[in-house]
Amino acid sequence: MSFKKKIFEVTDKILPEIISVRHNIHRYPELAGQEVQTSRLVRNILSFTDIKLLKPFIGTDVVGILRGAKPGRNVTLRADMDALPLDELNELPYRSEFPGKMHACGHDGHTAMLLGAALALNEFKEDISGSVRFVFQPGEEIAAMGKALVESGALLNPEPDAIFALHGASDLPVGMLASRPGTIMAAAGFFKIVITGRGGHGSRPELAIDPIIVACKVVDALQTICSRNIAPQDAAVVSVCRFEGGKNANVIPETVILEGTVRFLDPEVGERLPGLIERTVKGVCEALGAFYEFEYSLPYIPTVNNPKIYEFAKKVSQEYFGKSNWFELPRSSMGGEDFSYYLERYPGVFCNIGMGEDAPGLHNMNFDFNDDALRNGIAFMAGAAIEFLAKD
């Protein structure tokens, strides 16, 4: 039995409210772990449904369970809620009112789509065999709080038989769904290097050990890690994204700070990267008489879709929106995502939903989640849940 017709009827009924909610969340963005107002809004909306809201597991999370009329399996749907530390450049009636914060990655849209799916599925309680869990997660950006949420037991009692998540994508037509079986997104690590030399007067460089020169050579040498130490067939990225040193045009500083990120798809490649980075830094510093401190963390593991759930998601998408509205991604993204910790334990799929091929990219100060994609996102999440639970 397909629930397609009724799913779209309910989605169209609630869509104006969901658009308004999305604008409200966009107007008041909150950073990782600080989503107090957003989680309060989500809880308030869900309090008028039959969804049982659980006590927070790690602070600002919202987890609710809708139990159907009959026993059965569990489907878990997830959205992230946090914003980024950026100043919005959009001139929108609902632009961010919090300086230095904006929803530049579309999590306002993700939250709105999951709220829509929750309201829609609430109408199907008597048709559901099993349960649907709705996870509104804090801190996907930078903090990777999905790991802590999973480890806290938020996905237990009952454990999921399938999990789904959607993410806005700026390189797809509006409302198009896209994914791929297997690894869809990379692991993401971060490093910090503090190089210490000997400061001095800018006119007497021979008396100093210039950490800026050392740091420049370190940055240059780091570019050889992927090109000369990793096989060309194995994707890896090492990028220095912050270079800070000196405060005066006439003073050679004592220290320089470098920070950056690494990305990889193969865990064996990832195991090698921190050692290769530190070996490179150590070699340059020893050659030039400087000292260094090295820190490394790996908050995001590879995001790996389950092939069977991928095929199921594809089938639902093509049935609900037509075959042309599904796109199989030809390659993995080097971006990172903490939904990886959900997929590490349970079978599921992470999908992209199009914002328009001309839309500003994610993490851009002009990005705004496209309201025209909300309908497909709500219908897909609600449809995937109820169709999966209706399967034998």
Side-chain angles (χ1 to χ4, degrees):
M1 176 182 181
S2 174
F3 296 88
K4 173 182 173 181
K5 182 178 179 181
K6 189 176 177 183
I7 286 286
F8 278 115
E9 288 177 354
V10 175
T11 298
D12 288 337
K13 181 177 70 173
I14 64 175
L15 192 57
E17 177 188 356
I18 295 302
I19 291 173
S20 177
V21 169
R22 206 279 293 179
H23 292 180
N24 184 299
I25 296 171
H26 188 96
R27 189 192 302 269
Y28 304 110
E30 297 170 299
L31 301 182
Q34 303 172 17
E35 306 90 344
V36 176
Q37 185 168 323
T38 306
S39 62
R40 185 185 301 122
L41 173 65
V42 171
R43 285 185 177 274
N44 181 60
I45 292 171
L46 296 182
S47 68
F48 294 96
T49 70
D50 293 319
I51 297 168
K52 180 183 178 181
L53 296 175
L54 306 182
K55 293 181 180 179
F57 288 85
I58 59 172
T60 53
D61 59 278
V62 181
V63 180
I65 296 182
L66 177 66
R67 298 191 183 275
K70 302 174 185 178
R73 299 180 294 177
N74 173 264
V75 169
T76 291
L77 307 176
R78 174 268 200 178
D80 37 17
M81 300 186 294
D82 55 316
L84 283 162
L86 294 172
D87 285 306
E88 181 163 13
L89 296 182
N90 292 311
E91 293 298 331
L92 300 167
Y94 53 87
R95 66 170 293 172
S96 170
E97 294 191 11
F98 294 165
K101 303 176 187 178
M102 73 166 289
H103 274 290
C105 200
H107 296 189
D108 52 336
H110 304 171
T111 302
M113 288 189 295
L114 184 54
L115 273 171
L119 294 180
L121 288 168
N122 190 61
E123 302 286 325
F124 289 84
K125 182 178 179 180
E126 298 303 316
D127 299 306
I128 293 175
S129 297
S131 62
V132 183
R133 177 187 288 104
F134 306 94
V135 178
F136 296 85
Q137 182 207 300
E140 189 278 328
E141 300 286 357
I142 304 170
M145 292 175 70
K147 182 176 188 289
L149 189 58
V150 172
E151 291 176 346
S152 73
L155 304 189
L156 302 177
N157 303 317
E159 294 185 273
D161 294 279
I163 54 176
F164 299 88
L166 282 179
H167 199 297
S170 299
D171 53 355
L172 294 170
V174 178
M176 175 176 276
L177 291 161
S179 191
R180 71 191 312 271
T183 303
I184 183 172
M185 297 188 79
F190 300 92
F191 60 85
K192 179 179 181 180
I193 302 163
V194 180
I195 297 173
T196 301
R198 185 166 60 240
H201 199 287
S203 67
R204 300 295 304 275
E206 73 278 10
L207 299 179
I209 298 175
D210 191 341
I212 292 179
I213 297 295
V214 178
C216 287
K217 292 188 179 296
V218 166
V219 172
D220 187 47
L222 289 176
Q223 307 313 303
T224 67
I225 288 177
C226 294
S227 66
R228 290 298 178 269
N229 293 275
I230 305 297
Q233 296 87 351
D234 295 329
V237 173
V238 177
S239 293
V240 177
C241 301
R242 178 187 174 212
F243 190 125
E244 180 180 318
K247 296 182 179 179
N248 190 289
N250 198 32
V251 177
I252 295 172
E254 192 81 9
T255 61
V256 165
I257 298 173
L258 303 177
E259 288 189 282
T261 185
V262 305
R263 306 296 167 106
F264 59 87
L265 302 175
D266 185 341
E268 292 185 5
V269 172
E271 289 178 4
R272 297 175 57 202
L273 286 173
L276 290 170
I277 294 171
E278 185 167 12
R279 185 187 72 180
T280 302
V281 175
K282 181 180 180 181
V284 173
C285 287
E286 286 183 348
L288 297 176
F291 299 91
Y292 75 92
E293 296 174 23
F294 177 67
E295 298 175 14
Y296 180 84
S297 63
L298 186 67
Y300 300 87
I301 60 176
T303 304
V304 184
N305 285 334
N306 179 279
K308 289 184 179 180
I309 306 299
Y310 166 84
E311 290 297 332
F312 173 78
K314 176 180 177 181
K315 181 179 179 181
V316 171
S317 175
Q318 292 182 336
E319 179 183 342
Y320 276 52
F321 312 112
K323 290 187 175 181
S324 63
N325 204 62
W326 179 267
F327 178 66
E328 182 169 320
L329 298 168
R331 62 183 65 86
S332 305
S333 165
M334 299 308 285
E337 167 64 55
D338 70 1
F339 190 61
S340 54
Y341 291 102
Y342 298 67
L343 294 173
E344 182 185 34
R345 299 195 184 193
Y346 304 105
V349 65
F350 182 85
C351 298
N352 292 334
I353 185 166
M355 298 291 98
E357 294 165 292
D358 297 326
L362 300 177
H363 293 213
N364 185 297
M365 291 185 285
N366 288 293
F367 181 83
D368 180 37
F369 193 95
N370 195 323
D371 288 332
D372 292 336
L374 291 171
R375 182 176 188 263
N376 282 11
I378 294 168
F380 172 76
M381 297 193 88
I386 199 166
E387 301 286 354
F388 185 89
L389 294 175
K391 287 174 56 185
D392 292 335

